[in-house]
Amino acid sequence: MRLAAEHRNLLKGLGPLGTNGFMPILSMNRLTYLALGLLVLVAATSLGGILGIIRKNAPVEYLVVWCACGSLVVMAIVMMLLGKARTQRSLQVVEQRLRRLIQEGRLDDFGVAIPEEMRPVMAALCEYVDQVRDRVDHLQVRKKELDIQMLVAETERRKSEAIILSQREAVLVIDGFGDLALANAAAERLCGFSLQDSRHRPLNRVLSDASLIDLIREAREQPGAGACRQLEYTTSRDGEGRTFHIILSPLLEADGRPGGVVVVFHDITQERQAAQVKVDFVSAVSHELRTPLSSIKAYIEMLLDGEARDEADQANFLRIVSEETTRLQRLIENILNISRIESGLIQPCPELIQPHGLIRIILETLAPQAADKGVELDYCLGEGLPSIWADRDMLHRAILNVISNAMKYTPAGGRVQVNAGFDAARRHYVITVTDNGIGIRDRDLGRIFDKFYRSKEAAAVAKGTGLGLNLVKHIVESVHRGEISVTSEPGKGTSMILRFPLSPQPKTRAQP
Amino acid sequence: MKRILVADDETHILNVVSIKLSNAGYQVDTAEDGAEAYRAALAHPPDLLITDYQMPNLSGVELCAKLAADEPTRFIPTILLTARGYSISPQDKTTAGIKRVIDKPFSPREVLACVEELLAGVEAERPMAESCI
């Protein structure tokens, strides 16, 4: 718009010499032709006169004519010189004005009257300037469009980069040449490189995993129909195995050529572990339920088939069915108790209890079993121990499980020692159960509280479901806000330490 | 009288299978873990072995594999009586020479039928083997 206005001003300055109409009155060319015509006429006449004078001894009249013609020639020459001078002046005026406008950087009124002889030239010049200006205008409009497109593209690039960099999942962007174009912090950590040092470097100099490089190269070079590829990728870094769900999204150029690939790593390690735990749990529950159920089904079938030889056999079969039913019931209760504690559905009934009294009762209960097995069961309960807030039944279950566990994995001739005391510094009631049994290997120590987990050594020595210690841990830690810890040495024995805080009263969970 | 070795760390299961087979006329030996069963099998190779999978000291599959590796016990037909039948791969079954897998809870009738079928198969194969010799 501004340029168009400036252009209009310039044309206005030229006055009648606009692009569409100028008045050719007397141009420099016409003046020159007139002068030349006169010159030729006079020259011819003079030549004739001179020839006549020479041939015929012409009279004085001829000489006069000759002189007149000579005068005309002189006049013509003067007119030519005058015309030339005028043209030069006009050119100078135009040139000076143009230079001044150029110097001032203005495109407006020409400011001076254009000499008539310059008007055709100026008109042609204006037309040419019009064309140049049109071209400049067009190019400037195009440049503005490109500037806008570039700005939009840059904004989009920054937006995409910000999105990629803010992802928690690892993201790699590979360009059409197979070089690393972009990667976020998660990808840097996962693949072990620095974006600053690795950007625009070939992928095989950035990544170390050849299989991953091949996958990316394949996705980049053979993008198919632009479809994403999804696959699982397992890697081991710092000795820790991790599983990823990888999405490889090929990037295509506008003409359909392969242009790169975006790789997103979704870490599914925890999901897989959780799924495995679930499978293991269901499998273990299934196994534990099937065992007593097998006895029940088999003995009932035996009764129905008349396989019992006499009434005593029948009674024995029925007793086994009854015992196995109780075992099944207890197992289901244990599973449910653990499940309820884990989900916060159980409602403990806390009361002030003197645990050493409870310990004595439990030891008396277990004494015959210890004697049968040939395990010495001893205890040392401190004097004046305080009471604690606890759910009596649950506390009973926890202490019983720990002591019977110690007896279970202590061979005949071994010893189980139960101590109770008060840790004044931490205000904890502490129960320690120590045995000199088979012990626990280091690799199993971290898992002995897992549901259904049984070490190979434990499974070889005694039966069990792997639920007992898990329930103990829940009772101590989740219900009573206490602590449970274990130390052990294979072949020498194990110490299980239960700590219960004296106060405050344990919170009871409201049933939802 | 055919001799059958039954191995299971669950006493009730051991008893019920023993009674069923004894009532059917078989001589039954019992073992409460894998190692004991292995020793018993070596001492008196049975005509057939019924074993649990998950047992102390030696699992059922390990027991079968060891027996399959020893010449005197190599061809003892074996039934695996287990609550973990799903976790035994076909390769384990082949390597350990396990003929059948019966899932717990099980029917003693089914166990007996399986025993009779396998022993009949062994009887049928024996004359052919002898004639080949």
Side-chain angles (χ1 to χ4, degrees):
Chain A
M1 292 294 285
R2 182 170 167 267
L3 287 172
E6 286 170 353
H7 188 211
R8 278 197 298 276
N9 287 338
L10 181 60
L11 293 179
K12 187 179 166 187
L14 292 176
L17 282 172
T19 51
N20 294 326
F22 64 93
M23 296 172 63
I25 300 169
L26 187 63
S27 70
M28 183 188 72
N29 287 342
R30 290 185 183 205
L31 194 64
T32 306
Y33 294 148
L34 184 60
L36 278 173
L38 282 171
L39 188 61
V40 169
L41 184 62
V42 170
T45 310
S46 301
L47 186 61
I50 291 166
L51 288 175
I53 291 168
I54 294 168
R55 275 201 318 236
K56 301 174 184 177
N57 293 321
V60 177
E61 289 84 2
Y62 279 108
L63 189 60
V64 171
V65 171
W66 183 84
C67 290
C69 289
S71 302
L72 284 171
V73 169
V74 171
M75 282 174 64
I77 291 169
V78 169
M79 284 178 72
M80 280 179 65
L81 292 173
L82 286 172
K84 185 182 176 187
R86 185 175 175 182
T87 303
Q88 279 180 336
R89 274 201 308 277
S90 299
L91 283 170
Q92 278 177 350
V93 168
V94 173
E95 184 190 353
Q96 283 171 2
R97 183 56 189 163
L98 284 171
R99 289 197 181 283
R100 192 174 165 192
L101 288 174
I102 290 167
Q103 197 175 4
E104 294 173 358
R106 289 195 289 125
L107 285 173
D108 54 9
D109 195 337
F110 204 67
V112 293
I114 301 297
E116 282 183 4
E117 66 274 14
M118 293 300 297
R119 290 189 175 184
V121 176
M122 290 300 290
L125 187 63
C126 283
E127 280 186 42
Y128 181 68
V129 168
D130 279 347
Q131 283 186 5
V132 170
R133 193 175 300 280
D134 284 349
R135 178 68 62 86
V136 168
D137 287 349
H138 175 74
L139 289 175
Q140 283 186 335
V141 169
R142 181 68 187 141
K143 179 178 174 296
K144 278 185 183 173
E145 286 174 0
L146 290 173
D147 284 347
I148 292 168
Q149 284 178 11
M150 207 168 76
L151 193 68
V152 170
E154 178 62 15
T155 307
E156 288 299 319
R157 190 188 68 80
R158 285 175 186 275
K159 211 184 284 179
S160 302
E161 200 169 302
I163 291 170
I164 288 170
L165 293 177
S166 62
Q167 292 296 306
R168 288 177 63 187
E169 292 169 332
V171 182
L172 289 175
V173 182
I174 315 302
D175 64 20
F177 302 103
D179 297 343
L180 178 69
L182 186 64
N184 61 3
E188 287 179 287
R189 283 194 300 274
L190 171 66
C191 301
F193 65 81
S194 155
L195 180 62
Q196 196 177 355
D197 301 334
S198 307
R199 202 165 195 172
H200 306 306
R201 290 181 65 188
L203 205 55
N204 57 7
R205 294 175 61 187
V206 177
L207 304 179
S208 55
D209 190 328
S211 64
L212 181 60
I213 295 170
D214 288 344
L215 282 173
I216 295 173
R217 185 187 296 123
E218 194 181 332
R220 186 173 60 80
E221 293 173 353
Q222 300 163 10
C228 294
R229 294 185 190 187
Q230 302 192 27
L231 45 98
E232 265 188 36
Y233 168 70
T234 305
T235 181
S236 179
R237 193 166 178 81
D238 302 328
E240 185 189 353
R242 289 167 74 186
T243 307
F244 293 89
H245 179 82
I246 293 187
I247 302 171
L248 295 146
S249 307
L251 303 172
L252 297 178
E253 301 286 1
D255 58 3
R257 283 183 298 114
V261 62
V262 177
V263 191
V264 180
F265 299 77
H266 177 53
D267 193 341
I268 54 170
T269 311
Q270 286 190 340
E271 290 170 35
R272 282 298 160 93
Q273 285 172 346
Q276 189 56 47
V277 167
K278 199 172 174 182
V279 168
D280 290 347
F281 176 77
V282 171
S283 163
V285 168
S286 159
H287 176 261
E288 294 306 322
L289 294 177
R290 280 166 185 259
T291 304
L293 205 56
S294 291
S295 295
I296 294 168
K297 179 178 175 179
Y299 281 98
I300 287 175
E301 188 187 293
M302 294 287 277
L303 285 167
L304 289 172
D305 286 356
E307 299 279 4
R309 283 166 298 190
D310 48 31
E311 285 189 2
D313 263 3
Q314 285 181 1
N316 191 36
F317 287 5
L318 287 171
R319 181 185 56 79
I320 292 169
V321 169
S322 173
E323 282 175 5
E324 292 299 284
T325 307
T326 306
R327 178 180 168 186
L328 198 59
Q329 182 186 1
R330 197 168 54 242
L331 181 66
I332 291 169
E333 279 173 2
N334 273 345
I335 294 169
L336 282 177
N337 278 337
I338 291 169
S339 174
R340 282 174 184 156
I341 292 172
E342 282 180 343
S343 60
L345 287 174
I346 204 160
Q347 194 169 20
C349 302
E351 56 182 295
L352 262 179
I353 295 172
Q354 290 193 324
H356 44 281
L358 203 59
I359 293 169
R360 281 198 185 91
I361 294 169
I362 291 167
L363 289 171
E364 284 170 14
T365 310
L366 292 174
Q369 197 178 322
D372 285 350
K373 194 175 177 185
V375 172
E376 185 186 345
L377 192 55
D378 204 358
Y379 63 93
C380 175
L381 308 177
E383 293 295 323
L385 293 175
S387 300
I388 60 170
W389 283 98
D391 182 301
R392 178 179 293 276
D393 290 342
M394 288 195 193
L395 187 63
H396 184 278
R397 168 58 56 193
I399 298 170
L400 180 74
N401 275 6
V402 171
I403 300 174
S404 60
N405 227 40
M407 287 167 49
K408 192 192 282 187
Y409 298 108
T410 301
R415 184 166 183 268
V416 173
Q417 173 75 38
V418 181
N419 293 336
F422 178 59
D423 179 351
R426 298 185 63 192
R427 293 183 58 74
H428 277 172
Y429 191 102
V430 185
I431 301 169
T432 308
V433 179
T434 307
D435 65 61
N436 57 359
I438 61 169
I440 305 165
R441 290 180 186 272
D442 283 348
R443 65 164 187 255
D444 296 317
L445 270 179
R447 298 195 61 191
I448 59 167
F449 296 110
D450 291 354
K451 274 195 286 288
F452 295 110
Y453 182 77
R454 300 199 71 214
S455 71
K456 199 173 177 183
E457 292 74 18
V461 169
K463 294 177 193 171
T465 60
L467 285 175
L469 284 181
N470 182 263
L471 184 59
V472 171
K473 185 175 173 69
H474 278 305
I475 290 173
V476 175
E477 295 186 347
S478 306
V479 177
H480 293 97
R481 300 285 188 269
E483 295 170 16
I484 185 164
S485 58
V486 60
T487 57
S488 185
E489 196 174 339
K492 293 195 172 178
T494 303
S495 242
M496 195 80 72
I497 303 157
L498 283 61
R499 292 175 163 270
F500 297 92
L502 254 58
S503 60
Q505 180 179 355
K507 287 179 185 171
T508 56
R509 289 189 181 86
Q511 209 151 3
Chain B
M1 186 183 286
K2 297 288 182 190
R3 181 195 291 270
I4 297 174
L5 175 62
V6 182
D8 201 309
D9 60 335
E10 283 287 329
T11 314
H12 297 325
I13 302 294
L14 203 59
N15 286 342
V16 78
V17 174
S18 300
I19 294 168
K20 185 74 182 179
L21 295 175
S22 300
N23 288 353
Y26 294 102
Q27 181 181 340
V28 181
D29 297 331
T30 59
E32 292 195 355
D33 64 55
E36 188 186 335
Y38 180 63
R39 287 192 297 273
L42 287 182
H44 302 286
D47 295 295
L48 188 139
L49 169 68
I50 300 174
T51 178
D52 184 18
Y53 176 20
Q54 194 173 318
M55 289 186 295
N57 297 324
L58 202 64
S59 79
V61 173
E62 288 168 340
L63 167 66
C64 293
K66 282 182 74 129
L67 291 175
D70 283 346
E71 192 57 38
T73 55
R74 191 173 168 188
F75 298 106
I76 297 174
T78 304
I79 298 171
L80 201 67
L81 193 60
T82 177
R84 288 185 183 271
Y86 55 85
S87 62
I88 299 163
S89 67
Q91 191 186 352
D92 281 347
K93 278 176 67 177
T94 308
T95 310
I98 297 166
K99 295 280 186 191
R100 295 285 169 83
V101 176
I102 297 178
D103 287 323
K104 290 178 179 175
F106 64 97
S107 155
R109 277 183 232 131
E110 185 192 349
V111 173
L112 179 61
C114 192
V115 166
E116 287 175 344
E117 187 187 331
L118 284 177
L119 289 176
V122 171
E123 286 298 318
E125 283 172 12
R126 186 167 293 165
M128 287 173 65
E130 284 169 356
S131 65
C132 287
I133 294 168

